[in-house]
Structures are given as structure tokens and as C-alpha cells.
Amino acid sequence: MKLKLLFAMLLGGALSAAAQGGYQDGVDNYNAGRLDVAKIILENTINDPQTNKSVSYYYLGAIDFQGNDLNAAKANFDKGVAADPANGMNYIGLGEVALKQGQKGAAEDFFKQGMQTDKKNTALMAAVARAYYNVDPVAYDKEINKYLDKALKDSKNTESAVFMLQGDMKAKDDPGNAASLYELAIEADKNKNIVNREGYVKYANTYFRVAPKFAIQKLEELNQLEPNSALAQRELAEKYYDNSQFGSACLQYGKYLENPNHFQKDEQRYAGLLYSAKDYDKSLEVANSVLSKDPTNFYMYRVIMMDYAAKEDWPAAEAAGAKLFGHPDAEYIPNDYILYGDALAEQGKYEEAVKTFEKAIELNPDKPELLPKLSLVHDRAGNSEKAVEVMKQYLDAGNGSLNDIINMGRRYASLARKLEKGTPERVAAADEGIKYYDKALERVSDNAVLYRLKGEILLARNDDNPNAEIAALYEKMLELLNADPANRESQVASYRAADYVLGIYYSDVDKAKAKQYLEDYLKIDPENEGIKKLYETLGN
């Protein structure tokens, strides 16, 4: 299955950090737009001695505000004020809540309180502009520009928070311009010896749509500046993955997971990436590590089944599949049934395998590609009629490759040959096979082998008596083969078959032609007594 679909199937389940670091990591994740991760880190670190509670409460309030839980947002901003009345951001958060509730006057009072905590702090002015933007960018366009202009003027065009907000305002519709603004924010802070992690991440997230290479280079730069940053490590791993650089993503995830501030979801994705890199033993190690902490994680049973199936350890793959399908909360995908069915079939448990594939088809009627798998299991179990029936259902709906269609024709040709000559059953089997060869010829009309195959099944239908239609098919085959003289050496069997059938057919229609084909046959097989005798009967 496609890798990205696979990895999407590995990322369900609750977020659970392996071991949270400082609250700043929660701030960084908030700024990167990972609100669920940020909330967990901020809540889990709120009572750590090194935590700046007023900052953590502000970001928790901001997360609640984005979730439209205004009461919870206000409660967190109030806690932030109580923790440190000198932190202006919580007053601005309270103003944002008031503004959202239609209390513009109260909001303006809170904004003033916030800015008065540090009158020279132009980031607070930009924060007020952001509050207006968050509530209604159209209705408060005048206020937004007023505070942005003042912040730029007072900072002498060095306030990075202004460029960040301007970038956010353009990110959706003008990613190139937005990335340029994030670049300005990065450079403004770089001149102050500050690494603007938010700027780097937003630049990469926005510009990735335009130029993935440059977005990734930006994150590589961030990783050089902040080699211990979990956010920097994870964002780079994600962008490698999003750009289908799965090998690089796998290596980067390996580095990131050494950081104590990683999440279980990341371990799950790493297990999947290791599978894609064919490092099945390491993938099993990571998956089992996750299960040791989270025994009900059905995603890891999926990975383990995949790993063991790739290693062709079918009993172990079956055992993992049994745990997956025995999980009360598991969400199944077609590949789960395929691998579990394969594991059963490879051990000769055909009846169970058939039930598994039938269940998959029942639950996934929009996945016709499951039918050939079921057909194959029936075939291996000796249920040839059922195998043909299932494959016919698949192909008659317009599915299947050219090889699938040709092989179906061959199945009916084989069946026809096994049935008694002169019987309606033999004719019916041949007629079904002819339908599939005709479908194949509709797709590829210049394939010599297809004309031979259709000629052979018509012979079976006609009890091995060649007629004009059969002769025309073999002549068409010869026409195509003769286009390349090298085929005389590489396609000897096809030439022999055509010369034989055409020699017999023309012996009653055109003796000169018959002799020509029989002479060609004897050049290939000069000791064939039957052909010699037939040739002699034609006379001079």
C-alpha cells in the first residue's frame, strides 16, 4: 500500500508524551500550530519549579480561545495575571475574550493594562493587533494596522512579532509573500541573538507548498542552531516524510526519539518508517516498546503483523493479526485483512483465510482489488470453480490488469481442454475464455501472443478442427512476428504452432499454401513423421 496511507494508519490513538521537558517546548509547539501537543506539555509542566506559570497559563488560555471555550480561556488568563501581574500578555488575552464577547470597551481597557506593564515592549503592541485579527480581521482592520504600524515605528522596523502576524495574514493565499515575512522575522531576531523557532517552522510549513527543497533547508538550518530542540528535530522529520524522503525521515525520527520530549505517536510513525526501510527487526523492537507502555495499542499489532509478514514468519504474523482482530476498539483497513489472510493461507488454513478475505470484501465493497486475493486462496485450496467465479466478478466489473485478463482466458482455455469434446460444456467454457481474450485485444491489438492464445481456445472449442477464423488469427500472429526477424529464433514454438495449424487448414483449401506452411514447419522440426506424411499426400 502507499506509504503515506500506511503511516496515516499508524498515528491514531491518544497523545502520550514519553517524558515532557520544559514548558518552553509547549510554547514552541503552540507557535508551530500543534495545539494538542502544546496543551499536554503545558499542563504536565505547570507545577515544575522552572515553569513560568504566567506564560504557561497565557498559552493554555490561547489554546482554549482557539477552541472557542471562552470561559476556560478567561480562567487561564486570570490565573496568569495572578501568577505574575507584570506579564502583559494575560491582560491582552482577557481583552481578546472580551472582544469576542462583544465588549469592545472592556477589551480596550484590558489591552491598555497589558501594554502599560512594559510601555517599551513593542511585542505587546503586536499582540494587541493579533487579538483584533483573531476576533475579526475584517471588522477590526483599522485597529490591526494601527497597532502594527506603531510597533514597527517604535521598534524601528525590528519587531519580529509584527512580521510574524503579517506572515500569518498572508499564509493561506500568498505563501511566497508570507514566507518572505517570516524570513524578515527570523532575521530581525537573529540580529538580537535570538533564534525565532516559530519563524523557522512557519516559514517551512508555508513555503513547503511552493518550494519543498528550500523549506527543508530552513529546518536543517534550525536544527544546526538548536540541535537539542525536540520541535526542530520533529519538524524536520515531518518535512522529510511529507516530501516522500522516507529514508531521511527514518533517520531523523531516530535522532528525534532520543530526545526525552517526544510523543508516542512519533514512536508509532518511526516503527512504520522502519518497516518501509525494510529494517523489520528494529521496527519490531520499537513497536514492542510502545506495547510495553501501551498494551492496547492496536496500531502496533498492525506494524508487527506487517513486519512478520515481510519476514515470511507466518505463524508470528498470524498471532499479531489475531491480536489486532481481537481488539475491541481497532479500526481495520483492507491491508489488515490481506496480511492476516495471507498468513493463514501460507499455513494451509484456507477455510479461515477465505472467511477473512470475504469479511474484508463485505466491509470494503469499494475495494475490488481484494477479489483477486480471494480468488487466489480458493485456487490454492483446490476450489478452482469458486476461484474462477470470484475472478470473473472482478474482471467483469472492468477491473484488472492486462495480465489478469489474459490469465482468466487461460483458465477457461485449460478448463475447456479438460472437458469432453463435442459437449456444450466445452463450448461454453471456450466462449467465456474468448470473451477475455477479446477484452485483452481491445487494449493491445498488436500482441502476437494474444492472437495465438485466441486461436488455441477456438481450436479447443472446435474440437481441434481449424477453420477460417482460426487460420486468420494465426496468420495475424505470423504477420506481427515477422516484423522482427529475430523472432524466428526467440519464438520458435509460436512459428511451429502456426505452421502446423495453417498447414492442416489449407490442406483442404489451398494446397500450395498448405505445402508452404508445412515446409516451414519441417525446417523447424525435420524429423516429424506426421507432418512428412501430410506433406507427401499433397503431391507436387
Side-chain angles (χ1 to χ4, degrees):
M1 64 191 302
K2 292 183 179 180
L3 284 174
K4 288 189 177 180
L5 173 61
L6 163 65
F7 298 141
M9 295 300 105
L10 304 180
L11 294 181
L15 274 171
S16 173
Q20 278 70 38
Y23 75 99
Q24 184 60 44
D25 215 32
V27 174
D28 289 342
N29 276 282
Y30 172 86
N31 289 329
R34 301 185 184 281
L35 304 190
D36 52 354
V37 173
K39 185 172 184 178
I40 291 171
I41 295 175
L42 291 168
E43 288 179 340
N44 287 353
T45 60
I46 193 67
N47 293 315
D48 288 356
Q50 69 272 27
T51 294
N52 185 326
K53 289 190 175 184
S54 67
V55 172
S56 287
Y57 282 126
Y58 167 74
Y59 283 99
L60 285 168
I63 293 169
D64 289 329
F65 184 86
Q66 290 200 35
N68 206 32
D69 189 343
L70 300 185
N71 290 332
K74 182 179 183 304
N76 275 310
F77 293 139
D78 281 334
K79 290 177 183 178
V81 170
D84 182 6
N87 184 344
M89 291 299 296
N90 284 296
Y91 295 105
I92 293 172
L94 289 168
E96 190 173 38
V97 171
L99 194 65
K100 184 74 172 179
Q101 294 173 329
Q103 302 169 20
K104 188 178 181 186
E108 290 174 345
D109 288 340
F110 279 124
F111 293 153
K112 288 177 183 177
Q113 278 184 276
M115 289 187 290
Q116 284 172 356
T117 60
D118 188 350
K119 294 180 180 180
K120 294 183 179 181
N121 188 342
T122 51
L124 290 172
M125 300 175 194
V128 172
R130 184 177 288 277
Y132 279 114
Y133 177 77
N134 288 344
V135 174
D136 193 330
V138 176
Y140 297 118
D141 179 69
K142 180 180 177 181
E143 289 83 353
I144 294 167
N145 288 314
K146 169 187 169 183
Y147 283 101
L148 287 178
D149 290 343
K150 181 170 176 54
L152 280 176
K153 179 181 178 181
D154 290 359
S155 70
K156 298 180 181 179
N157 293 320
T158 65
E159 179 48 65
S160 64
V162 171
F163 303 128
M164 291 302 302
L165 177 55
Q166 290 175 331
D168 291 348
M169 293 164 69
K170 293 182 178 294
K172 183 178 180 181
D173 299 320
D174 189 355
N177 199 357
S180 297
L181 288 160
Y182 294 140
E183 181 75 46
L184 285 175
I186 292 168
E187 291 303 315
D189 277 346
K190 188 180 293 184
N191 292 331
K192 302 172 188 175
N193 294 317
I194 298 171
V195 177
N196 190 325
R197 291 184 287 271
E198 179 184 2
Y200 277 100
V201 171
K202 286 188 173 179
Y203 175 99
N205 288 341
T206 303
Y207 210 46
F208 188 80
R209 292 177 280 161
V210 179
K213 177 182 176 181
F214 293 110
I216 288 171
Q217 285 177 349
K218 204 60 153 177
L219 289 175
E220 289 172 340
E221 180 184 326
L222 176 60
N223 272 264
Q224 290 174 354
L225 293 169
E226 303 241 301
N228 297 320
S229 168
L231 176 70
Q233 293 165 349
R234 189 183 197 277
E235 289 295 323
L236 180 57
E238 286 284 291
K239 287 298 175 289
Y240 282 142
Y241 161 73
D242 289 338
N243 201 41
S244 299
Q245 295 175 237
F246 299 118
S248 296
C250 189
L251 291 172
Q252 185 63 25
Y253 264 106
K255 294 178 184 177
Y256 164 57
L257 290 178
E258 293 176 4
N259 193 306
N261 196 23
H262 69 263
F263 283 75
Q264 183 173 297
K265 276 192 175 184
D266 303 312
E267 295 181 48
Q268 292 173 198
R269 175 166 283 181
Y270 185 45
L273 283 165
L274 287 165
Y275 165 80
S276 75
K278 300 183 180 181
D279 192 346
Y280 306 123
D281 291 334
K282 182 65 175 177
S283 177
L284 285 167
E285 179 185 329
V286 174
N288 281 310
S289 175
V290 172
L291 284 171
S292 69
K293 296 169 285 189
D294 182 10
T296 62
N297 190 308
F298 66 84
Y299 298 95
M300 292 300 93
Y301 289 127
R302 172 177 292 141
V303 173
I304 290 172
M305 179 170 66
M306 289 160 48
D307 285 326
Y308 280 126
K311 287 163 67 74
E312 297 187 359
D313 185 342
W314 300 114
E318 180 194 353
K323 290 180 180 178
L324 173 62
F325 283 99
H327 197 293
D329 301 318
E331 299 169 2
Y332 307 119
I333 59 175
N335 198 54
D336 294 334
Y337 293 95
I338 291 172
L339 291 183
Y340 190 50
D342 284 345
L344 292 166
E346 289 292 340
Q347 298 175 84
K349 300 179 180 181
Y350 299 121
E351 185 176 345
E352 294 173 68
V354 165
K355 289 179 181 177
T356 300
F357 283 113
E358 287 179 340
K359 186 64 176 179
I361 293 165
E362 176 190 337
L363 296 175
N364 299 276
D366 59 334
K367 301 288 184 184
E369 61 269 22
L370 292 170
L371 290 168
K373 298 290 293 186
L374 176 59
S375 175
L376 180 61
V377 174
H378 276 304
D379 197 47
R380 291 175 66 181
N383 304 325
S384 56
E385 290 186 13
K386 191 66 178 177
V388 169
E389 177 188 326
V390 173
M391 197 64 184
K392 177 177 169 58
Q393 178 187 345
Y394 174 68
L395 295 176
D396 288 356
N399 305 300
S401 66
L402 179 63
N403 281 339
D404 290 331
I405 296 170
I406 293 172
N407 287 335
M408 192 63 168
R410 281 180 166 139
R411 280 186 173 185
Y412 277 109
S414 176
L415 177 61
R417 283 285 172 197
K418 292 176 183 176
L419 296 170
E420 188 176 345
K421 289 183 178 181
T423 62
E425 291 80 8
R426 183 180 174 106
V427 172
D431 285 343
E432 284 297 319
I434 291 165
K435 289 179 186 177
Y436 291 103
Y437 288 139
D438 285 341
K439 283 184 180 182
L441 284 167
E442 287 174 9
R443 294 193 185 188
V444 184
S445 60
D446 60 351
N447 186 302
V449 173
L450 281 174
Y451 289 98
R452 175 183 172 180
L453 290 173
K454 185 175 178 182
E456 288 175 347
I457 199 170
L458 278 169
L459 274 172
R461 185 185 191 282
N462 209 36
D463 295 339
D464 294 325
N465 297 309
N467 56 25
E469 182 182 7
I470 295 169
L473 288 167
Y474 278 99
E475 287 179 326
K476 179 64 176 179
M477 180 192 78
L478 288 177
E479 175 190 332
L480 292 168
L481 289 177
N482 288 336
D484 183 357
N487 284 330
R488 281 281 175 184
E489 298 294 329
S490 62
Q491 302 291 331
V492 173
S494 292
Y495 277 100
R496 181 191 288 114
D499 292 336
Y500 178 82
V501 171
L502 292 169
I504 292 174
Y505 171 69
Y506 279 112
S507 63
D508 292 329
V509 177
D510 185 333
K511 290 186 177 181
K513 269 192 174 184
K515 290 184 71 174
Q516 178 186 334
Y517 284 118
L518 293 175
E519 285 171 0
D520 287 342
Y521 185 97
L522 289 170
K523 290 177 184 177
I524 298 170
D525 185 7
E527 303 304 320
N528 190 303
E529 294 299 326
I531 296 299
K532 284 182 181 180
K533 289 179 181 179
L534 178 59
Y535 182 79
E536 290 170 0
T537 63
L538 296 176
N540 296 323

